[in-house]
Amino acid sequence: MKKDSQFDRRKFVKYSSALVTSSFLMPNINFGKGTNPDDEIIGHGDFKYKVKKEWGNQDPAKYPVKDCHEMVQDKKGRLILLTNETKNNVMFYDRSGKILKTWGHDFPGAHGLTLHEEGGEEFLYITDHNRHQVYKTTLDGKILLTLDYPKETGMYESADQYKPTETAIGPNGDIYVADGYGKSFVIQYSAKGEYIRHFGGKGDANDQLKQAHGVCLDTRKKGKPELLVTSRAAQEFKRFSLDGKHLETIQTPGCWICRPVIKGKNLYFAVIVTKSWKEYDGHVLILDKNNKAISSPGGSKPTYVDGKLQSSSHIGQTFMNPHDVCIDQDENIFVPQWASEKTYPILLERV
């Protein structure tokens, strides 16, 4: 979609939303009855969204899910969901919410899903923290490469200590694996799966991490790709060079952020929790090209005091443990959720 037409569409939706809002100024005897949850508008500034909670719903007898961990979009526009339900680990949606196909029965700890194009063909990288492995597959599910636990590092006594949660693919095809539920190292491999180096690890030092839950390749700086790594338990993320040198730490107080997702010049996170793991108090966080928070759909408005981002909190009950975000060509956000009573992904339609 061309930029101008997309802008015009947003202006029309905003104008239509204003008309709907103004109607509440008139008496309405049905106000508060039969309220449609899809009418909810969340977000801040130019990043506001209409909530579509029913978007991904399916017949659980036919397409069951457990935890909906992550989602990506391929060149055909299909939304690809990863769940740890072994009846259908990988589910392909079209943008209307219809299931196109499913596959996968062997990933009980399916967690991380990365899409990467090589030579014009797209491939998936799947992490399984139960099986302590990482897999490269075709879009039809054929396994092409398996990475076992990184005994080459000298940091692991057994596979049980290694629980990978995410991957990122470098510009030369190198594979970076985040051991988010294990020892919080990031392990770098060649495209063929040959060990190169490891960095990070649990700790409080600048170049260490606390729950390296997510990693992504950041290409927003022209000619200078970097890695963004989530240090989720510390409520921050860190910038690293491609050879593992720490560059910067960026705090996100009050936000237990999941993997970083780049779309255009902006950075997106699912915030799985803000204050309590016993409540559904997560939201989404959006940062600009300078990594400054500009919107938190489902949460409080990002506020800075003396240049420091203030602690975040959720508003309402939009989400049930959001675990990832996938942003499509119209900048709508698809949100799969963890431990959410086997619910399906929801759609945030940008307005």
Side-chain angles (χ1 to χ4, degrees):
M1 180 176 291
K2 293 182 180 179
K3 185 176 181 181
D4 289 343
S5 61
Q6 182 174 327
F7 177 72
D8 290 341
R9 179 182 66 81
R10 289 190 196 140
K11 285 199 299 184
F12 172 78
V13 173
K14 287 181 179 180
Y15 175 73
S16 300
S17 298
L19 290 178
V20 171
T21 302
S22 67
S23 68
F24 286 103
L25 298 177
M26 302 297 291
N28 186 344
I29 60 173
N30 294 318
F31 181 78
K33 297 182 180 180
T35 302
N36 183 355
D38 283 355
D39 289 339
E40 181 184 15
I41 301 291
I42 59 176
H44 307 91
D46 192 37
F47 292 84
K48 294 181 180 178
Y49 304 85
K50 180 178 289 187
V51 179
K52 300 287 186 180
K53 289 189 176 181
E54 308 299 319
W55 174 83
N57 284 358
Q58 303 296 323
D59 178 358
K62 187 175 182 180
Y63 301 115
V65 295
K66 289 184 180 178
D67 302 306
C68 294
H69 275 128
E70 294 193 340
M71 183 173 263
V72 296
Q73 186 180 32
D74 68 7
K75 290 190 297 185
K76 295 181 179 179
R78 298 176 298 183
L79 287 308
I80 308 172
L81 171 69
L82 183 70
T83 172
N84 51 5
E85 171 55 70
T86 54
K87 292 183 180 179
N88 39 223
N89 282 130
V90 179
M91 302 170 63
F92 284 69
Y93 282 89
D94 69 13
R95 293 179 71 206
S96 73
K98 177 184 176 182
I99 293 292
L100 301 173
K101 69 175 183 177
T102 69
W103 55 262
H105 310 287
D106 302 312
F107 307 123
H111 185 280
L113 182 68
T114 300
L115 180 74
H116 185 251
E117 184 175 344
E118 302 169 28
E121 185 176 358
E122 292 178 304
F123 300 92
L124 296 173
Y125 289 79
I126 297 172
T127 68
D128 188 315
H129 53 71
N130 282 17
R131 296 183 63 174
H132 318 288
Q133 292 176 316
V134 178
Y135 312 92
K136 176 183 178 181
T137 78
T138 66
L139 293 190
D140 292 325
K142 181 181 178 181
I143 295 177
L144 304 175
L145 176 69
T146 300
L147 298 176
D148 291 312
Y149 87 96
K151 57 184 177 181
E152 303 93 334
T153 64
M155 306 305 295
Y156 296 85
E157 296 177 1
S158 68
D160 290 344
Q161 296 178 326
Y162 177 62
K163 299 177 181 179
T165 52
E166 194 60 74
T167 60
I169 312 302
N172 65 346
D174 282 358
I175 306 166
Y176 295 85
V177 182
D179 181 21
Y181 290 158
K183 293 194 171 187
S184 282
F185 286 105
V186 177
I187 301 95
Q188 181 181 356
Y189 298 89
S190 72
K192 296 180 180 180
E194 303 158 326
Y195 168 75
I196 297 175
R197 65 171 60 87
H198 64 282
F199 55 92
K202 288 183 180 178
D204 296 312
N206 287 336
D207 61 353
Q208 291 181 309
L209 302 155
K210 290 184 176 181
Q211 200 176 90
H213 188 270
V215 59
C216 83
L217 183 71
D218 188 352
T219 58
R220 292 178 294 170
K221 292 184 179 180
K222 188 176 181 180
K224 192 178 180 181
E226 299 170 343
L227 292 173
L228 297 180
V229 186
T230 303
S231 185
R232 191 167 76 171
Q235 299 178 15
E236 61 192 18
F237 65 96
K238 299 188 177 187
R239 293 173 49 239
F240 287 88
S241 64
L242 295 183
D243 58 357
K245 301 297 188 301
H246 175 263
L247 303 174
E248 183 184 12
T249 297
I250 301 165
Q251 297 180 335
T252 58
C255 296
W256 287 65
I257 50 179
C258 295
R259 75 155 160 182
V261 176
I262 302 290
K263 183 67 173 181
K265 294 295 184 180
N266 298 316
L267 175 61
Y268 297 74
F269 290 97
V271 177
I272 196 167
V273 65
T274 51
K275 291 181 174 61
S276 172
W277 288 92
K278 297 179 181 180
E279 301 178 21
Y280 295 130
D281 65 356
H283 58 82
V284 172
L285 184 64
I286 305 172
L287 288 71
D288 66 12
K289 63 181 180 180
N290 298 313
N291 294 323
K292 181 177 179 180
I294 53 177
S295 181
S296 53
S300 56
K301 182 179 180 180
T303 303
Y304 284 82
V305 175
D306 296 328
K308 294 184 177 181
L309 181 63
Q310 300 302 292
S311 185
S312 178
S313 62
H314 84 296
I315 297 175
Q317 290 292 334
T318 305
F319 301 109
M320 300 172 71
N321 296 328
H323 190 273
D324 189 33
V325 290
C326 177
I327 300 90
D328 72 7
Q329 59 267 42
D330 288 333
E331 299 183 12
N332 303 309
I333 304 176
F334 300 84
V335 185
Q337 303 183 108
W338 170 83
S340 60
E341 302 175 14
K342 299 184 179 182
T343 59
Y344 296 85
I346 65 176
L347 165 64
L348 305 184
E349 185 179 75
R350 191 166 178 185
V351 300

